[in-house]
Every structure is written in structure tokens, then in C-alpha cells.
Amino acid sequence: MIEQVWQDFVARPGVYIGALCTIGLMTLIYRENVVYRFFEHIFIGLAAGFSIVALVKNILDPFLYQPVFKNGEWYWTFVFMFGLLFYFIHSRKYNWLSRLPIGFLMGFSAGQIFQIFSNTYLPQLSNSFRPLYVVTENGSFDFAKSLNNLIFMVVLVTVMSYFFFSFEQKSKAIRNSAQFGRWVMMVAFGAIFGTTIMARMALLFDRMYFIFSDWLRLVQ
Amino acid sequence: MTGASANFWDKLQAIDRRILYLLLLIVVIAPLFLPISLPTVTMPSTQRLYDAIESIPPGGFVIVSATWSGGTRAENMPQTVAILRHAMQRGLRVAVFSFDVQGSQLSLDIAKRLAAEYGYEYGKNWVHWGFRPQVGVVMKSMVRDIPGTFDKDYQGKPTKDMPMMQGIKNIQNVDAIVEIAASGIYADWIGLVVGANPKLKFGFCPTSVMVPETYPYLASGQIVGTMEGMRGAAEYERLLKKPGLATVGMGSISLAHVLIMLLIVIGNIGYFATRARRSR
């Protein structure tokens, strides 16, 4: 039996180590313990190591080493040197040099944000103007769509009224509207919480499936 | 009310978390051994994504971006499998890449497996562009010049002479982009790419946590359809008539939800009973 397990371990060590790590990390649900701490540190260390390897293998090698030193595209070194100017932020005398790449990136980001803002929110703004009296293709009154649009408008206006901070909400109508907007948002937050639970359950299922299917092979 | 019954109501609010975790483990594991078949209702958002891919004629060009890592494998992996399977079933040209290093490798493994299943030839029917850093730069660049942006595949081989890249110059030549992600990257796609081609179909496959924030984009049509977490993937598998991991998982997840709702009800009964006792 032990020999069989050992042979299986040698054949697929990655699965065994993954299963041990999973169980080790899940011991936390019993109580805080040394085993959990050990695997937690391994996990953090691996993640840090992985990102360094990824940086070298997937960014520095294909975008700097290969083009410059293998293909002779020497002009890319200017980009690299421009990036290195960031490090002058540690120098008291020459820290003004670091402002060059920072300014470049800020300008680039600002330009992008203008475009992203208009492309993202303008279609949504125009979509907010919905008819409250909807007519179907054959000319009859579409009650369901009209009701849907009415609910949408009420929710939109009441939630927006909650965020009117530019004046004191003395009017009873505004106060009630803001109160209703707050309740509507509570419903939305409840929905978000529900989906969060769903995501966590999916992660738990994935780990259990890994243990019982990939590792123990009890489930097909 | 006696002391014993008062104690009982208090205990309902303070059940040992280890008992709760044990119950949760049982309801998650049990359906693995005793599969339960639950009726699946396809959400309109899933149906819309399916219809969008279905409407692309064979030979159309689809880009699948797999920006996820091992941490969200449970939800994003079945989504990736489902969308690639659909594209390959339809005979579409598929280009896969990722803004995440792990996602690049994970999506490559999935694409290779499905390509073998559907007889897809690398370079002719599908390609993997590998990992790409800098989201904004890549997106801005691919709007104008796709072969220039993705000049090499994951192995560093040139892509411009690949048969599947013929006729692909810029975003105007792309039929659909599907982003499978555990982050808000869809906003970058919408802001920088989607508006550049009014005919482009942009689908998004988020984790369950992110689903509510995508609804305004679905309503405005900026996102053509979504696959909402593992549930969305299970619905998509059903539409494809190819049950997979998501379909199996939905039994466990549904039971877990029932358990959580029961526990919330029990906790609330205990709370109200204790409050009524104190007010007397």
C-alpha cells in the first residue's frame, strides 16, 4: 500500500504537493496553527518568486534582451534608459530627472482617461433616457417594458438624490427620495454580497474537486 | 421562559464555526459522489453571449483574452473552456492571449486540448499570442495595427505569415472579443477598443463577485453578453450540450446556498427570540 502511494507520488508529485498545500491551508478553519502558517509563507514566497521569473522571462527577455542584444535593435535602449530615470527619485541632487518619465506617464494616462470616460459613460447616459410609454411593433402598449422603464427611472432619480451633497436636504420630498434611494442601494449591496458568496463557494468546490478527483481519483 | 430554553436561543446565534464549516464541506463534497440534477434556467445575458458567437459566420475572427490566474480558476476555467469550445464548434478563427502571466499558460493548455479535440491546426485555425503587459498600450495599439501589436506568438515565432492572420489588419477586421477576467479590465476594452468598431461584439466573462457591476454595461449594449461566474458557465455548457466542470459544480454550489440561507434563518430566529425575551 505504502509502496503504491510512493510510486503514485513519484509519477505525479505536483498533484500531491498541491493537495498537501490545500489541506495545510484549510487547517485554518479549525484554528490558527503552525501548519497553516508554514504553507501560507510558502504560498507568499512562491508568488513573489513567480513574479520575478515572469518579469525576467516575459518582459525583460522578449522586450529588451532579444531585440537589443540578439536582433541588434539598439534604439530600444533609449526606452530602457528613459525608464531608468525613475530611479533618480532617490537622489536629492538629480531627482528632477525622475519627473520626466513620471510626467510622460501622467500625460499618457490623462489622454487615455479622457477617451475611456467618454466611451464608457456617454452611451450609458444616453441609455438612461428611456420612454415611459413603450409601444410594440404592432402598435399596442407594451406594459412590461413601460413598467420596467418606470422602475428604472424611479431608482435612478432616488439614488441620485441621495448623492446631492451640494445643499442641505431640508425638503421632505428630497429627504424621502434620498431615503428610498438608500434602501434601493441596500438591495443592490445584498445582491453583490450574494454573488460574493457564490464566488467563494465556487473556489471551495474547485479545491474539493481537485482533492477528490485529481488527487484521490475517487470522482470521475 | 426557562433558563434552559433561553440558553437554547442564545446558542442558535453562536453555533461553533467549526460545525458550520463541517456542514459546508459535507454539502459541497456530497454532490461529487451523489450528483444532483437541477433544472437550469438560462439567463438572458448568457443567451445573448451565446447568440453573439452563434451569429458570426464560419471563418470569422474572434479574440479571447484570458486575464485570470490560478486564484479564480474555479470560475474562469470553465468559462474559457466553454467560449473556446463554442468558437471551435462554429469553425471560427481563434486568437488567444492574456494580460496575466498565469492566464497565458492556463489558456494555452486549454486551447491546445480543445484544438486537438476539434482538429484545429495551429497557425491556420488558431494562435496563441502569449502574455502581453501594459493593458492600455496594447489595446490602443491593436485598434490600428493587430499584426504589429501581436507580431510574435507565445513561442516567439512571427505571426504575420500565419494563414489565420490573413486579412487581419486592425480592429475593423475582428468580429468579436471575449474577455475572461477576474478584474475590471472590461472598462478598458469598452473605453479604448469597443467604440472603434461599431460592429464588434464584446463579451465579458467575470467572476461572480463582479457580476452586478456589469449590468449597466449590458443594459446599454456596450457588453453584448456575459457568462456570470460558474453559474453562467454551467448555462453556457447546457447551451453547447457539453456538460463540464461548471455543470458538476452547480449541484454543490446550490446546496451550499441552501445551507447558508438556512443558517441565516436559524440565526435570525435566535436573535428575535432573545430580543423578545429581553423586552419582557
Side-chain angles (χ1 to χ4, degrees):
Chain A
M1 173 71 180
I2 293 170
E3 198 181 330
Q4 218 173 357
V5 172
W6 175 250
Q7 279 176 354
D8 196 30
F9 174 78
V10 174
R12 44 196 197 118
V15 175
Y16 270 77
I17 293 167
L20 280 176
C21 288
T22 302
I23 294 167
L25 286 167
M26 286 183 78
T27 56
L28 180 72
I29 62 179
Y30 182 69
R31 71 170 173 220
E32 173 77 34
N33 62 77
V34 182
V35 178
Y36 167 74
R37 275 291 160 92
F38 174 73
F39 283 109
E40 186 191 28
H41 285 104
I42 284 184
F43 186 77
I44 293 167
L46 275 175
F50 188 84
S51 58
I52 291 169
V53 173
L55 174 76
V56 173
K57 198 179 163 203
N58 296 94
I59 298 175
L60 292 178
D61 182 55
F63 296 107
L64 180 73
Y65 182 76
Q66 294 288 342
V68 174
F69 297 104
K70 290 269 174 149
N71 306 334
E73 296 166 6
W74 54 269
Y75 40 85
W76 287 112
T77 51
F78 286 113
V79 181
F80 183 62
M81 284 191 280
F82 190 64
L84 285 179
L85 293 180
F86 269 114
Y87 288 101
F88 277 103
I89 204 160
H90 299 295
S91 160
R92 280 191 185 172
K93 197 174 175 185
Y94 298 108
N95 69 358
W96 60 272
L97 281 169
S98 67
R99 289 183 205 142
L100 293 172
I102 290 170
F104 177 81
L105 278 182
M106 280 181 73
F108 179 77
S109 304
Q112 272 197 340
I113 285 166
F114 278 122
Q115 189 185 359
I116 288 173
F117 184 85
S118 60
N119 283 349
T120 304
Y121 297 111
L122 293 184
Q124 285 184 34
L125 274 171
S126 65
N127 183 257
S128 301
F129 294 92
R130 298 183 182 186
L132 296 178
Y133 184 85
V134 185
V135 181
T136 58
E137 283 177 8
N138 55 23
S140 59
F141 175 59
D142 192 333
F143 176 74
K145 276 191 180 167
S146 300
L147 182 67
N148 190 41
N149 287 358
L150 180 67
I151 293 168
F152 175 82
M153 289 307 291
V154 169
V155 170
L156 182 73
V157 171
T158 53
V159 170
M160 280 181 73
S161 70
Y162 176 78
F163 289 100
F164 279 144
F165 300 128
S166 46
F167 57 86
E168 200 179 343
Q169 296 183 353
K170 284 180 181 167
S171 156
K172 200 177 174 187
I174 295 284
R175 257 205 328 267
N176 288 342
S177 167
Q179 179 80 359
F180 183 76
R182 205 168 73 166
W183 277 99
V184 170
M185 280 192 288
M186 294 288 180
V187 174
F189 297 147
I192 293 169
F193 179 68
T195 56
T196 308
I197 296 276
M198 188 181 260
R200 300 294 175 264
M201 290 306 113
L203 299 184
L204 178 63
F205 166 76
D206 181 59
R207 288 295 85 200
M208 291 301 106
Y209 190 81
F210 173 74
I211 285 174
F212 287 99
S213 179
D214 296 7
W215 182 42
L216 299 175
R217 291 172 170 165
L218 294 172
V219 182
Q220 289 303 312
Chain B
M1 197 176 279
T2 63
S5 69
N7 202 19
F8 171 76
W9 297 120
D10 284 332
K11 274 184 181 169
L12 280 187
Q13 293 177 80
I15 303 169
D16 192 323
R17 67 186 166 86
R18 281 167 287 208
I19 296 171
L20 303 182
Y21 286 138
L22 184 66
L23 287 171
L24 191 60
L25 277 176
I26 290 168
V27 298
V28 169
I29 294 166
L32 287 174
F33 295 95
L34 302 164
I36 48 173
S37 177
L38 294 167
T40 312
V41 180
T42 307
M43 293 284 282
S45 54
T46 314
Q47 186 69 52
R48 279 169 58 183
L49 179 61
Y50 178 84
D51 293 342
I53 300 294
E54 199 70 11
S55 68
I56 302 168
F61 196 88
V62 177
I63 296 174
V64 175
S65 167
T67 311
W68 53 278
S69 59
T72 55
R73 196 184 83 128
E75 297 192 288
N76 293 138
M77 190 175 74
Q79 290 170 337
T80 310
V81 172
I83 208 75
L84 286 177
R85 187 183 288 285
H86 193 192
M88 289 181 183
Q89 270 184 2
R90 299 264 312 121
L92 307 176
R93 286 180 287 166
V94 189
V96 189
F97 81 105
S98 176
F99 288 112
D100 187 291
V101 181
Q102 283 187 42
S104 174
Q105 186 59 48
L106 292 162
S107 61
L108 176 66
D109 295 342
I110 295 168
K112 272 182 179 172
R113 179 164 59 81
L114 289 169
E117 192 180 323
Y118 287 96
Y120 258 49
E121 205 176 311
Y122 188 79
K124 186 182 169 192
N125 309 109
W126 76 285
V127 66
H128 198 294
W129 289 329
F131 164 70
R132 285 289 183 283
Q134 287 294 331
V135 175
V137 177
V138 170
M139 288 182 186
K140 287 285 284 180
S141 174
M142 70 186 284
V143 168
R144 275 181 245 148
D145 179 14
I146 289 177
T149 310
F150 302 105
D151 57 338
K152 287 171 187 156
D153 71 355
Y154 76 100
Q155 293 170 307
K157 289 179 184 165
T159 57
K160 70 177 170 61
D161 296 327
M162 288 181 177
M164 80 151 282
M165 294 294 287
Q166 299 310 306
I168 304 299
K169 288 175 184 158
N170 52 41
I171 202 68
Q172 305 298 328
N173 310 117
V174 178
D175 293 289
I177 294 174
V178 180
E179 173 66 59
I180 301 150
S183 67
I185 196 170
Y186 66 90
D188 294 299
W189 281 111
I190 290 167
L192 296 170
V193 180
V194 176
N197 177 5
K199 289 178 187 168
L200 179 78
K201 297 171 178 76
F202 176 64
F204 184 49
C205 304
T207 52
S208 305
V209 184
M210 296 185 60
V211 168
E213 69 181 78
T214 62
Y215 287 150
Y217 300 91
L218 268 169
S220 62
Q222 290 163 297
I223 295 175
V224 73
T226 54
M227 212 190 291
E228 300 177 354
M230 190 180 260
R231 182 178 55 76
E235 291 167 7
Y236 213 93
E237 284 173 0
R238 186 169 167 268
L239 289 169
L240 293 171
K241 296 179 179 67
K242 273 273 183 187
L245 185 65
T247 308
V248 177
M250 280 319 288
S252 297
I253 290 173
S254 303
L255 274 187
H257 275 71
V258 171
L259 175 71
I260 289 165
M261 283 190 279
L262 270 175
L263 292 173
I264 290 170
V265 170
I266 290 169
N268 274 279
I269 290 170
Y271 170 74
F272 285 112
T274 316
R275 204 169 72 162
R277 191 190 68 201
R278 281 183 192 146
S279 63
R280 262 182 235 148

